[in-house]
Amino acid sequence: MSKFRTDQQVITIQRIPRGRIVDICGGGEGVIARIGRERVTAVDRLHSEIDEAKPFAPEATWVLADVRQIPFSDTSFDNATCFFGGMCMSNEVKVAAFKEVHRILRPNGEFWCWDASMPVKEDFFVIRLLVDLPCGKQVTTRYGNPRKEQSPEQVIGIMKAAGFSDVKIMERHEYWHFLIAR
Ligand SMILES: C[S@@+](CC[C@H](N)C(=O)[O-])C[C@H]1O[C@@H](n2cnc3c(N)ncnc32)[C@H](O)[C@@H]1O
């Protein structure tokens, strides 16, 4: 099996959206919960990923659920985030998940999405990251997944199919991107 590993990619997160945030696929390193603390509700389908992340931000709300069925009512959250969750979902799953995000966001809520751009055809893709948090701390990690093609344009198409009307590319790099959808 061929495996593609990127060099270390540096991501600087200066801020996250205001208000009550739902962070989809939020386990693992719990990057968004570490920043937003009690403002963040992190949803992940794996106990193991939540158990790993929870100690970094025990004051966040941790929800074990599939992001295709998020157990909150319509317009429950001010804003939403996803940090490298899309790379672990097929396009079909992403459409369903992003529709759920759209449903539980208040009108004019924003969806901030950092994710991998995977242009290389390999069996397995690994992105190595150094993430600068607003507090000055850093997270070093790697996320790997059996290869699926993913580009900002594909993700924008899926966001629009899910109901978001305005999507902007905030940052575009060789192996990752940062989008904001409204
Ligand atoms: C690369 S990790 C994301 C890392 C995380 N956001 C962080 O800050 O480290 C991808 C996460 O997405 C979760 N995931 C993948 N598909 C999911 C789904 N359909 N529903 C909920 N969580 C999912 C995985 O369990 C995993 O924790």
Side-chain angles (χ1 to χ4, degrees), residues 23-34 43-50 52-53 62-70 82-90 93-94 97 114-115 127 139 141-145:
D23 180 42
I24 65 163
C25 303
E29 297 291 339
V31 168
I32 301 297
R34 294 188 199 212
V43 181
D44 201 290
R45 69 174 173 177
L46 293 182
H47 246 307
S48 55
E49 296 286 331
I50 290 182
E52 190 183 335
W62 297 93
V63 176
L64 182 70
D66 192 301
V67 294
R68 288 170 289 184
Q69 282 190 302
I70 304 177
C82 181
F83 191 81
F84 289 83
M87 67 179 288
C88 296
M89 295 187 267
S90 67
V93 173
K94 260 182 276 192
W114 294 259
D115 222 311
I127 186 163
V139 177
T141 190
R142 59 185 63 199
Y143 300 133
N145 212 48

Side-chain angles (χ1 to χ4, degrees), residues 62-168:
W62 297 93
V63 176
L64 182 70
D66 192 301
V67 294
R68 288 170 289 184
Q69 282 190 302
I70 304 177
F72 289 91
S73 52
D74 296 359
T75 67
S76 299
F77 291 91
D78 296 309
N79 292 296
T81 50
C82 181
F83 191 81
F84 289 83
M87 67 179 288
C88 296
M89 295 187 267
S90 67
N91 287 344
E92 292 69 32
V93 173
K94 260 182 276 192
V95 172
F98 291 1
K99 278 185 182 164
E100 273 295 83
V101 171
H102 190 266
R103 179 184 69 74
I104 61 175
L105 274 189
R106 67 166 172 76
N108 301 318
E110 293 183 349
F111 181 25
W112 294 26
C113 198
W114 294 259
D115 222 311
S117 300
M118 302 186 283
V120 192
K121 295 222 180 299
E122 306 287 336
D123 296 332
F124 203 90
F125 177 89
V126 179
I127 186 163
R128 297 171 52 220
L129 295 182
L130 185 153
V131 188
D132 286 316
L133 306 182
C135 63
K137 289 188 179 156
Q138 294 182 324
V139 177
T140 45
T141 190
R142 59 185 63 199
Y143 300 133
N145 212 48
R147 169 139 180 79
K148 303 176 193 71
E149 255 189 286
Q150 179 168 267
S151 66
E153 285 72 23
Q154 281 174 337
V155 179
I156 289 170
I158 292 171
M159 286 172 156
K160 291 195 169 167
F164 292 94
S165 52
D166 172 29
V167 188
K168 287 199 168 49

Side-chain angles (χ1 to χ4, degrees), residues 5-65:
R5 286 188 198 80
T6 71
D7 295 334
Q8 188 175 63
Q9 309 290 303
V10 179
I11 299 186
T12 301
I13 302 182
Q14 282 163 347
R15 62 193 185 93
I16 58 171
R18 62 165 201 84
R20 190 158 179 245
I21 296 170
V22 59
D23 180 42
I24 65 163
C25 303
E29 297 291 339
V31 168
I32 301 297
R34 294 188 199 212
I35 302 169
R37 321 299 303 188
E38 68 288 340
R39 293 196 292 118
V40 173
T41 296
V43 181
D44 201 290
R45 69 174 173 177
L46 293 182
H47 246 307
S48 55
E49 296 286 331
I50 290 182
D51 286 349
E52 190 183 335
K54 210 171 178 175
F56 297 123
E59 54 292 64
T61 302
W62 297 93
V63 176
L64 182 70

Side-chain angles (χ1 to χ4, degrees), residues 163-179:
F164 292 94
S165 52
D166 172 29
V167 188
K168 287 199 168 49
I169 301 179
M170 308 305 290
E171 288 191 59
R172 179 201 283 272
H173 302 271
E174 189 173 8
Y175 296 117
W176 65 276
H177 54 263
F178 170 36
L179 309 176

